[in-house]
Amino acid sequence: MTIFDRRTSTVRLSSRQSRLNLKHLTAPKDIHHDFGIDVVEGLNKFPKSIPSKYFYDQLGSELFERICDLDEYYPTRTETAILQSYAAEIAAITGECELIELGSGSSTKTRILLDAYRDRGDRLRYVPIDISGSILSNSAIALLSDYPTLAIDGFVGTYELGLQHLPQPHLPTRLLCFLGSTLGNFSPDECDVFCDRLAGVLQAGEYLLLGIDLQKSKSVLEAAYNDRLGVTAAFNLNLLRHLNYKFEGDFDLTRFEHAAFYNQEQHQIEMYLRSLGRQRVNLRSLDLSIDLEPNETMLTEISRKFNLKHLARDLESKGFRHIRSWTDPNHWYGLVLCQILPLR
Ligand SMILES: C[S@@+](CC[C@H](N)C(=O)[O-])C[C@H]1O[C@@H](n2cnc3c(N)ncnc32)[C@H](O)[C@@H]1O
């Protein structure tokens, strides 16, 4: 049975209630309001853009999971393999700790870390934060049944809100995980501010584990974001369906196409929706009409590709001590573990 506490927006599951707390950090109407503001701002800009966090309605989250299984999409399986090789080493370095995860999604890879801590006999506490309530609650419920001693304090909301609401630590230290190269969705300036924010949230001696996609050949990168089955295209186009649903829109999905290419100067994949002709689109509940020219694009996501040494240096400038980085035999993907220094 599910119990919803209106005052605190907290969901508890009665059968395992002592182990699961899921909190919605914003009321649905506030999320809707912020979404509307972002959409009006992004579509009135030139070039037009829509923030990538709005990919993740229920269908968007499901499509992302499908992307992770694609042959061309090497990041998930490569990050998984690195975690499988080194999770025990990570656990030995940090010792018993709480796992906080930003953009936790299905938490599939997090299980590798949970297994490593469980194998040491450590207590397990997990604090997942994700904007997508459906994937967060489904994965939390699955984790509880697979890890009988795990306690979960999850937050449905943005990274920023989640970081503001972190619960009091119960275990000796904390490991903040940001996997899936999601850091790459921030522009360099946003990344800078975000890393400062992470350094400010962690206490002296606590750890940060980043999974990051590394620079590599254009052909490998472009194949990963232009898969043959068209799942990434469906994921990208679903953003328009999400806008139609939320704001009484009339985007005709057949009149847009997915486009993704690697910008070698900026070291980033850029993902767009391209208009297949001149068209006007209305989002009635936002009182917004936009005109698109043939081939005009809307930027929906960037995915930056990092250089491990540069990232480690940037993190050190934010007050982190670089402990270790791990990579795969091709050097396609990296995991970076660092620790916040006591005196900043
Ligand atoms: C690229 S997926 C990565 C999922 C998972 N960490 C992995 O490695 O497979 C990004 C995840 O972050 C969530 N997300 C995206 N933007 C967010 C934001 N601004 N605040 C909170 N969660 C966000 C999405 O719902 C999604 O689950």
Side-chain angles (χ1 to χ4, degrees):
M1 190 173 79
T2 305
I3 301 166
F4 181 67
D5 178 339
R6 275 180 196 287
R7 198 177 44 81
T8 60
S9 294
T10 302
V11 174
R12 287 171 192 278
L13 294 188
S14 65
S15 58
R16 305 180 178 107
Q17 71 188 45
S18 56
R19 296 198 289 125
L20 176 63
N21 249 311
L22 275 192
K23 193 163 181 166
H24 287 254
L25 292 175
T26 36
K29 72 170 176 15
D30 296 333
I31 296 171
H32 189 82
H33 178 253
D34 294 351
F35 188 179
I37 291 175
D38 288 344
V39 168
V40 171
E41 192 183 296
L43 293 182
N44 277 325
K45 268 197 320 215
F46 186 79
K48 294 180 174 53
S49 63
I50 308 168
S52 60
K53 63 184 171 195
Y54 298 118
F55 277 131
Y56 298 95
D57 63 351
Q58 185 167 350
L59 180 56
S61 294
E62 285 167 19
L63 286 167
F64 180 74
E65 291 306 302
R66 297 280 307 281
I67 289 174
C68 292
D69 290 336
L70 292 167
D71 285 347
E72 297 95 330
Y73 197 75
Y74 62 85
T76 308
R77 63 172 177 275
T78 313
E79 188 176 41
T80 301
I82 301 172
L83 279 167
Q84 280 165 341
S85 302
Y86 300 109
E89 189 176 334
I90 293 169
I93 293 171
T94 65
E96 185 178 57
C97 71
E98 296 187 3
L99 293 184
I100 303 167
E101 185 170 12
L102 300 173
S104 49
S106 64
S107 303
T108 309
K109 284 170 285 180
T110 322
R111 287 169 175 258
I112 303 168
L113 288 167
L114 288 171
D115 290 345
Y117 287 100
R118 184 186 54 191
D119 291 350
R120 286 168 37 90
D122 290 349
R123 288 165 291 173
L124 300 179
R125 188 176 188 220
Y126 180 43
V127 182
I129 297 165
D130 203 291
I131 201 165
S132 173
S134 57
I135 196 150
L136 182 57
S137 50
N138 290 341
S139 59
I141 290 164
L143 284 171
L144 287 184
S145 66
D146 294 343
Y147 295 85
T149 61
L150 176 66
I152 301 182
D153 274 291
F155 294 101
V156 179
T158 60
Y159 309 130
E160 290 74 15
L161 278 173
L163 290 171
Q164 280 167 30
H165 287 83
L166 291 180
Q168 277 300 105
H170 291 180
L171 300 184
T173 190
R174 298 185 296 182
L175 172 65
L176 178 59
C177 306
F178 200 22
L179 303 177
S181 204
T182 314
L183 185 70
N185 298 145
F186 293 129
S187 70
D189 286 348
E190 289 168 340
C191 185
D192 209 43
V193 171
F194 195 72
C195 290
D196 277 334
R197 177 94 188 90
L198 298 183
V201 162
L202 292 173
Q203 291 166 18
E206 293 183 330
Y207 298 89
L208 174 67
L209 182 67
L210 284 175
I212 49 159
D213 200 8
L214 301 179
Q215 292 163 11
K216 62 184 68 62
S217 82
K218 188 175 165 75
S219 57
V220 172
L221 283 166
E222 290 193 342
Y225 292 83
N226 291 286
D227 63 276
R228 280 161 297 172
L229 292 177
V231 184
T232 313
F235 172 74
N236 200 4
L237 283 160
N238 179 58
L239 184 54
L240 301 183
R241 198 202 53 79
H242 193 194
L243 294 187
N244 282 346
Y245 172 74
K246 287 282 184 191
F247 304 115
E248 297 175 62
D250 57 10
F251 277 104
D252 176 351
L253 273 60
T254 65
R255 302 205 62 210
F256 290 87
E257 71 180 4
H258 161 80
F261 70 89
Y262 187 50
N263 178 332
Q264 272 173 308
E265 285 77 54
Q266 306 290 330
H267 302 292
Q268 63 189 24
I269 284 282
E270 296 175 4
M271 207 156 89
Y272 295 93
L273 288 165
R274 182 186 290 134
S275 172
L276 296 174
R278 179 166 291 119
Q279 50 183 320
R280 168 164 287 197
V281 178
N282 306 292
L283 293 161
R284 273 191 291 154
S285 70
L286 293 175
D287 202 15
L288 176 70
S289 295
I290 55 162
D291 291 309
L292 289 135
E293 296 298 318
N295 293 320
E296 184 175 347
T297 54
M298 297 181 283
L299 177 68
T300 54
E301 183 169 81
I302 61 164
S303 180
R304 291 172 58 218
K305 306 302 165 189
F306 294 89
N307 171 305
L308 260 183
K309 282 201 185 116
H310 294 172
L311 182 69
R313 185 196 60 203
D314 291 347
L315 290 167
E316 293 205 339
S317 77
K318 306 279 174 204
F320 288 98
R321 179 172 76 94
H322 175 248
I323 297 182
R324 266 210 78 172
S325 296
W326 298 270
T327 183
D328 55 292
N330 291 322
H331 298 280
W332 278 4
Y333 200 92
L335 264 191
V336 180
L337 179 67
C338 45
Q339 184 179 33
I340 200 79
L341 289 168
L343 288 176
R344 281 173 286 144

